[in-house]
Each structure stands twice: as C-alpha cells, then as structure tokens.
Amino acid sequence: MIRVMFYKVRNVLLFLRIVFLRIRGCNIDYSARVSFKARIDFTNSKGVVIEKNAHVTFDAIILTHDFTRKIWKTTTVKENSFIGAGSILLPGVTVGPQSIVAAGSVVTKDVPPNSIVAGNPAKVIREGVELGKLGRIINR
C-alpha cells in the first residue's frame, strides 16, 4: 500500500517537473519522463525538444548552446528513446526514435532511429532495435 502511494506521489512530482520545464520554455511532451537529477540547458530552453514516451535518466545533460563557438541549436530526443545516466547530448544533436544512448556516452552527432550508441564520442553499436516500455529491448 505504501509502495503504491509512493509511486503515485512520484509520478505526480515528475509530471510537475515537466510542467515547470515547459514554463521555462522547453518543448517537452507530458508523457516524457525527465529525472529530477537530469540537467537541462536553460540558456536556450526553447531549443530543448523531448517527444512522447522519451526517458532522460539521472545526471544526463542536454545542451543547446556553446558560448565559445557562439552556437545556439535545438537538441531533440525523439519519441520512445532512452537517454542513459551521465550521458551528454551536445547542441544540435537529434536522438532518433526508438534509440538508446548508453550511460556515460557523449553524443556529438545525430543518432539514427532504432539503434544503440555508446562511448566518447558515441558510436552506433547496434541497429534494428525495437524498444518497449522504459527503454527495454524487445527483440534480442
């Protein structure tokens, strides 16, 4: 009973985080999940796009600007994608639908749809992936 109540409260708080991020100018779908510890770039908050059912886990960083190169670009996480813990998405990157960014990866280029990327810089390690709920791989 207490565990069920905890999850309900947590889901409400995650929803309120999405509302807060949308107020700040980010374009985030209400079905997306963004961890409380994920860091979103508010310098160009309109450049953050997270589509439906995407998951951004703890310590992930989504950047939309680079002051040294004077770049302000849109960083997009497409639908049903999963961004692993501690990964970094650089400005202008698009993570394709049904894709996984492995933990600790630094994404410098666009991620193709239905793929898994890992490393620094992130490289495709598997293609043709189908994802289920919470970024789980359906086809092995």
Side-chain angles (χ1 to χ4, degrees):
M1 177 68 180
I2 292 175
R3 183 173 282 171
V4 172
M5 191 170 69
F6 170 77
Y7 285 118
K8 287 182 180 181
V9 170
R10 184 176 182 276
N11 284 336
V12 168
L13 291 174
L14 284 170
F15 178 79
L16 291 175
R17 174 153 168 86
I18 298 296
V19 170
F20 168 75
L21 291 171
R22 287 176 66 104
I23 290 171
R24 291 290 305 254
C26 299
N27 184 6
I28 301 176
D29 190 85
Y30 286 113
S31 65
R33 289 291 173 245
V34 179
S35 171
F36 295 113
K37 287 185 150 188
R39 289 175 265 172
I40 307 293
D41 188 358
F42 290 128
T43 304
N44 179 21
S45 57
K46 290 182 180 176
V48 176
V49 177
I50 301 175
E51 295 182 359
K52 64 181 181 175
N53 296 323
H55 293 281
V56 181
T57 60
F58 66 94
D59 290 337
I61 302 170
I62 298 177
L63 298 173
T64 59
H65 83 286
D66 183 356
F67 282 131
T68 58
R69 295 184 292 163
K70 296 182 181 170
I71 295 174
W72 287 268
K73 291 186 176 181
T74 299
T75 303
T76 305
V77 178
K78 295 282 188 177
E79 59 191 45
N80 210 23
S81 293
F82 185 85
I83 309 301
S87 57
I88 301 171
L89 303 181
L90 294 181
V93 168
T94 298
V95 177
Q98 300 274 334
S99 295
I100 296 175
V101 175
S105 300
V106 178
V107 181
T108 58
K109 297 178 186 171
D110 290 350
V111 176
N114 300 84
S115 61
I116 301 174
V117 296
N120 180 8
K123 294 180 183 169
V124 176
I125 59 172
R126 186 169 170 194
E127 292 180 335
V129 175
E130 287 184 49
L131 298 184
K133 192 174 182 181
L134 300 174
R136 292 187 183 125
I137 300 172
I138 295 174
N139 61 340
R140 294 229 172 229

